């Protein structure tokens, strides 16, 4: 019995001790101050970012443009730093002489074309050349005369000498036809050469204007108006 009382007393003291410590009041929580907020719609937008650096720019394409013919500079419409487009005129060379050469070459070609009967863009046909056509007509006439003479000679209506004369005339007409045909062929070859000279002369006239091969900025100009330049300058 004594052991049971001791346990009860211990429990009673412990409970009493807890009540004695609980006499302090718990702190009262205070309300936080109100904060004003605003709402907005979310949108997607690009952000520009810039980087400042120091460096040297190099052209993606560059070309040294030079004259294709010799002559005196009569105009320089651009300066260093000028922005130009493809085909823009950079330098102009005097074209009086080369244009005269182009006209002369064209006249020579036109003269041969007229002689061959192919003026106006017609194709070359040797039989349409006037000299060949005339020689061919003479050959046909000589052949007809020879055939008649042969018939008469076979019937013993003409002498041998006259028959031989008709044969000689036919042979001469054949040779004349061959000469005319060969001459026409040679003239046509001369026409081809004349046309080639026309092409060269026209190119020389076009080359009096030095043009930009592509669009860009002129880096330097080494010639001035009045300078005499040679090919490649």
């Amino acid at each position: 019995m004594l052991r049971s009382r001791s346990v009860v007393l211990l429990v009673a003291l412990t409970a009493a001790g807890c009540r004695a410590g609980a006499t302090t009041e718990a702190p009262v929580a205070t309300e936080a101050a109100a904060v004003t907020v605003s709402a907005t719609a979310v949108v997607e937008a690009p952000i520009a970012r810039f980087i400042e650096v120091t460096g040297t720019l190099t052209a993606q394409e560059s070309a040294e443009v030079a004259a294709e013919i010799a002559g005196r500079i009569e105009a320089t419409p651009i300066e260093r730093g000028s922005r130009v487009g493809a085909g823009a005129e950079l330098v102009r060379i005097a074209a009086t002489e080369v244009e005269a050469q182009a006209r002369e070459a064209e006249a020579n070609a036109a003269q041969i074309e007229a002689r061959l009967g192919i003026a106006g863009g017609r194709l070359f046909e040797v039989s349409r050349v006037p000299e060949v056509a005339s020689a061919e007509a003479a050959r046909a006439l000589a052949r007809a005369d020879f055939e008649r003479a042969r018939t008469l000679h076979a019937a013993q209506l003409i002498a041998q000498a006259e028959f031989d004369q008709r044969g000689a005339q036919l042979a001469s007409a054949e040779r004349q036809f061959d000469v005319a045909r060969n001459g026409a062929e040679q003239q046509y070859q001369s026409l081809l050469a004349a046309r080639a000279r026309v092409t060269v002369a026209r190119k020389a006239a076009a080359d009096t204007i030095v043009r930009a091969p592509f669009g860009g900025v002129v880096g330097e100009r080494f010639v001035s108006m009045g300078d005499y330049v040679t090919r490649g300058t």
Side-chain angles (χ1 to χ4, degrees):
M1 292 297 294
L2 290 176
R3 180 177 299 176
S4 299
R5 291 177 181 176
S6 297
V7 172
V8 172
L9 180 62
L10 180 60
V11 171
L13 291 175
T14 302
C18 291
R19 285 193 300 269
T23 58
T24 304
E25 296 181 357
V28 179
T30 60
E31 295 182 357
V35 178
T36 303
V37 297
S38 60
T40 185
V42 178
V43 295
E44 182 180 355
I47 300 177
R49 298 180 179 179
F50 300 93
I51 301 177
E52 295 184 0
V53 296
T54 301
T56 302
L57 297 178
T58 302
Q60 184 177 2
E61 291 182 318
S62 62
E64 294 184 0
V65 184
E68 293 291 334
I69 63 170
R72 194 166 301 280
I73 303 297
E74 66 176 12
T76 54
I78 57 90
E79 298 293 339
R80 178 181 179 182
S82 301
R83 183 173 294 277
V84 298
E89 181 179 332
L90 304 179
V91 176
R92 189 185 313 124
I93 303 172
T96 303
E97 183 177 355
V98 292
E99 287 179 350
Q101 293 174 352
R103 289 192 297 270
E104 180 182 5
E106 292 171 354
N108 291 335
Q111 183 178 11
I112 300 175
E113 289 176 351
R115 191 180 305 155
L116 294 176
I118 58 175
R122 298 169 63 181
L123 298 177
F124 172 70
E125 294 182 15
V126 67
S127 61
R128 300 172 67 175
V129 177
E131 289 82 356
V132 176
S134 177
E136 187 174 9
R139 182 184 64 170
L141 180 60
R143 180 177 292 124
D145 289 342
F146 176 75
E147 293 298 333
R148 283 194 299 269
R150 182 165 58 180
T151 301
L152 295 174
H153 182 266
Q156 297 183 354
L157 296 177
I158 61 173
Q160 181 67 36
E162 186 175 355
F163 175 71
D164 293 341
Q165 183 181 5
R166 295 294 185 269
Q169 291 175 349
L170 175 59
S172 176
E174 293 282 0
R175 287 193 299 270
Q176 292 296 326
F177 175 77
D178 292 339
V179 170
R181 186 181 182 89
N182 292 336
E185 294 287 353
Q186 292 177 0
Q187 287 183 9
Y188 181 68
Q189 296 301 319
S190 299
L191 175 61
L192 296 180
R195 287 175 174 175
R197 287 191 292 270
V198 169
T199 301
V200 173
R202 288 176 177 174
K203 182 181 183 303
D207 288 341
T208 57
I209 299 179
V210 180
R211 300 185 181 277
F214 48 79
V217 177
V218 178
E220 192 62 72
R221 176 168 62 82
F222 298 103
V223 296
S224 300
M225 190 171 65
D227 290 346
Y228 187 86
V229 296
T230 57
R231 184 173 183 178
T233 302

